[in-house]
């Protein structure tokens, strides 16, 4: 079972160094043959002979059987990972953007070339959610997988709401601590959790969905008024990603801020901590929490993949290949979901953008206006750019009504 590992490592940034550090401090025996980096000028903590600047020194080296890809640039990561798989090398990566944008092709390459691709470190840092969904929730009837999938935005929300720090200071701290992406818009715009959600959806429901097909809204538009609203109601704000089953064969996905009250499982998940709530028919609700960003937590998930690779572990994607099996049936993505949201807006023209199914509260003040009402996910998706341009803030109230029909029924009963 146990085979000799010779690793080619790409990237020696926050996670690469975190991994190296962990390998130094544990008994795990792995030979890192070469580390490929880009920046020749950067001062390194290891001797120069450990490094190469030429990717082919790893990709074309037949003695290297495992490529560990931990670089920042998703396009370059795509070239490295696909070349390695084509060359028959197993790969461990933590690059969520690259994975989410190329899921279909990466599945195909694994099938064609028989090499394995593992990526526990790409989703929720140290929380072992991918293998849990893949193995443990193999046959369970999953209702939903949701949670805090981005450490930086959770860090910012914690500091801004509970500690009264300015948004800019909190973001700077998240960057200095190595949590944020090089382009922090990926974090605060809700893109990073969106990429992670696409990966989660594949392992939870077997769906391959493109990030551009999903509604994601971040926290850049958060204003003191929204914070005031949250504090007055006793809520905290969390940027939540969610995939939920809404019918026999449909799932609904979204990323957006949510107000959570004291009794919510995620109310106390703070700073760079992530959390994943898995809800299923028989096991009921399970909550996984842990550090979602940083060199050591992510490095530990990468180490676990390296170790799993040693005994030949591969994702089987049984849910994605469900048509070939009797286990589950394939799901498709629907945007028919209806959700109750808080919308903070500037003027009536903003308000009229929305085709509300129902409104439960409307406030018009001298400084800001808000409405709480039910809207369709597909309408939010179509309006996304307009919402950003007009600086409209959206947060889910957490009240989810499963289908348009169901909301209509409710509205009729109330009328
Ligand atoms: N920027 C990411 C985050 C890093 O803040 O969660 C971990 O994926």
């Amino acid at each position: 079972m146990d085979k000799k590992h010779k690793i080619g490592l790409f990237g020696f940034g926050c996670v690469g160094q975190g991994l190296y550090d962990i390998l130094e401090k544990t008994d795990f025996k792995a030979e890192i043959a070469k580390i490929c980096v880009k920046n020749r000028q950067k001062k390194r903590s290891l001797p120069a002979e450990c490094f190469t600047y030429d990717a082919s020194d790893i990709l074309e080296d037949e003695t290297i059987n495992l490529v560990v890809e931990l670089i920042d640039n998703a396009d370059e990561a795509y070239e490295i990972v696909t070349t390695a798989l084509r060359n028959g090398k197993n790969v461990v990566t933590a690059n969520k953007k690259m994975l989410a944008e190329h899921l279909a092709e990466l599945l195909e390459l694994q099938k064609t070339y028989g090499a394995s691709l593992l990526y526990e470190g790409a989703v929720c840092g140290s929380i072992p959610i991918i293998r849990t969904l893949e193995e443990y929730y193999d046959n369970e009837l999953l209702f939903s997988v949701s949670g805090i999938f981005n450490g930086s935005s959770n860090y910012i929300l914690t500091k801004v709401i509970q500690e009264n720090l300015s948004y800019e200071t909190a973001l700077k701290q998240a960057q200095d601590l190595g949590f944020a992406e090089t382009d922090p818009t990926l974090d605060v715009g809700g893109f990073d959790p969106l990429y992670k959600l696409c990966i989660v959806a594949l392992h939870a429901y077997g769906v391959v969905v493109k990030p551009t097909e999903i509604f994601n809204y971040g926290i850049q538009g958060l204003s003191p008024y929204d914070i005031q609203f949250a504090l007055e109601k006793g809520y905290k704000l969390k940027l939540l990603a969610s995939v939920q089953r809404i019918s026999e064969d449909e799932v609904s996905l979204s990323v957006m801020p949510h107000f959570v009250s004291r009794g919510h499982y995620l109310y106390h998940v703070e700073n760079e901590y992530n959390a994943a709530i898995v809800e299923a028919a028989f096991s009921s609700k399970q909550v996984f929490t842990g550090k979602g960003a940083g060199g050591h937590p992510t490095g530990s998930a990468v180490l676990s993949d390296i170790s799993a690779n040693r005994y030949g572990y591969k994702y089987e994607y049984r849910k994605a290949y469900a048509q070939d099996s009797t286990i589950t049936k394939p799901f498709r993505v629907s945007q028919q979901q209806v959700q109750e949201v808080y919308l903070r807006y500037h003027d009536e023209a903003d308000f009229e953008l929305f085709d509300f199914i129902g409104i439960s509260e409307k406030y018009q003040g001298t400084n800001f206006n808000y409405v709480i009402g039910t809207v369709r996910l597909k309408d939010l998706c179509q309006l996304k750019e307009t919402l950003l341009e007009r600086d409209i803030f959206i947060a889910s109230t957490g009240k989810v009504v499963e289908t348009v029909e169901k909301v209509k029924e409710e509205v009729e009963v109330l009328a």
Side-chain angles (χ1 to χ4, degrees), residues 94 96 121-125 149-153 178-181 187 192 196 272 274 292-294 298:
K96 51 264 161 151
V123 182
C124 292
F149 290 2
N150 182 259
S152 302
S153 52
F179 304 151
E181 300 298 305
D187 297 296
D192 173 84
K196 293 165 178 167
E272 78 273 28
N274 279 193
T298 313

Side-chain angles (χ1 to χ4, degrees), residues 133 196-209 243 251 253:
L133 291 170
K196 293 165 178 167
L197 181 64
C198 292
I199 301 167
V200 160
L202 171 61
H203 291 273
Y205 293 101
V207 292
V208 176
V209 58
V243 52
V251 286
L253 292 85

Side-chain angles (χ1 to χ4, degrees), residues 40-73:
R40 288 172 191 262
Q41 264 49 315
K42 201 167 162 182
K43 207 170 162 333
R44 307 280 172 188
S45 53
L46 296 174
E49 58 269 24
C50 296
F51 297 98
T52 175
Y53 303 95
D54 183 355
S56 62
D57 281 351
I58 291 176
L59 296 172
E60 305 303 330
D61 183 339
E62 287 182 4
T63 67
I64 290 179
N65 49 14
L66 179 64
V67 167
V68 178
E69 181 285 303
L70 302 174
I71 68 169
D72 189 47
N73 184 305

Side-chain angles (χ1 to χ4, degrees), residues 20 49 59 79 181 185-186 232 272 284 291 294 297 344 371 379:
Y20 198 89
E49 58 269 24
L59 296 172
E79 293 303 327
E181 300 298 305
T185 315
L186 296 177
E232 278 174 10
E272 78 273 28
S284 193
K291 286 192 173 172
R344 195 255 308 136
V371 58
D379 292 348

Side-chain angles (χ1 to χ4, degrees), residues 47-114:
E49 58 269 24
C50 296
F51 297 98
T52 175
Y53 303 95
D54 183 355
S56 62
D57 281 351
I58 291 176
L59 296 172
E60 305 303 330
D61 183 339
E62 287 182 4
T63 67
I64 290 179
N65 49 14
L66 179 64
V67 167
V68 178
E69 181 285 303
L70 302 174
I71 68 169
D72 189 47
N73 184 305
D75 296 332
E76 290 170 10
Y78 168 77
E79 293 303 327
I80 292 165
V81 169
T82 51
T83 308
L85 291 173
R86 285 197 180 92
N87 290 357
K89 297 188 192 306
N90 293 332
V91 179
V92 170
T93 176
N95 201 310
K96 51 264 161 151
K97 184 171 193 281
M98 181 277 297
L99 288 163
E101 285 175 344
H102 301 283
L103 278 177
E105 186 186 349
L106 293 170
L107 252 74
E108 219 33 61
L109 285 175
Q110 289 172 77
K111 224 181 184 181
T112 311
Y113 294 93

Side-chain angles (χ1 to χ4, degrees), residues 168-327:
E168 290 69 29
T169 308
L171 171 58
K172 173 82 175 48
Q173 285 185 0
Q175 288 176 305
D176 291 345
L177 289 163
F179 304 151
E181 300 298 305
T182 306
D183 172 7
T185 315
L186 296 177
D187 297 296
V188 296
F191 293 95
D192 173 84
L194 169 64
Y195 301 140
K196 293 165 178 167
L197 181 64
C198 292
I199 301 167
V200 160
L202 171 61
H203 291 273
Y205 293 101
V207 292
V208 176
V209 58
K210 293 200 176 79
T212 47
E213 293 166 8
I214 306 302
F215 177 68
N216 69 304
Y217 210 72
I219 59 165
Q220 306 109 305
L222 181 71
S223 75
Y225 307 120
D226 311 310
I227 297 174
Q228 180 189 328
F229 175 88
L231 292 173
E232 278 174 10
K233 306 259 179 190
Y235 297 149
K236 287 182 184 172
L237 257 177
K238 301 286 170 195
L239 181 60
L240 300 192
S242 139
V243 52
Q244 50 193 315
R245 183 175 173 171
I246 57 166
S247 76
E248 265 295 286
D249 58 355
E250 290 170 310
V251 286
S252 176
L253 292 85
S254 67
V255 175
M256 71 172 109
H258 281 232
F259 289 113
V260 296
S261 54
R262 193 169 285 278
H264 195 283
Y265 282 104
L266 305 183
Y267 187 83
H268 293 293
V269 180
E270 308 284 30
N271 296 312
E272 78 273 28
Y273 277 76
N274 279 193
I277 303 178
V278 182
E279 211 175 343
F282 304 107
S283 55
S284 193
K285 253 186 194 174
Q286 293 191 314
V287 187
F288 303 81
T289 61
K291 286 192 173 172
H296 279 164
T298 313
S300 114
V302 173
L303 175 67
S304 178
D305 277 349
I306 295 174
S307 170
N309 178 261
R310 191 147 73 169
Y311 56 82
Y313 179 74
K314 288 180 178 187
Y315 300 136
E316 288 183 44
Y317 301 106
R318 279 188 287 265
K319 295 166 198 170
Y321 298 130
Q323 51 272 52
D324 308 329
S325 83
T326 53
I327 300 170

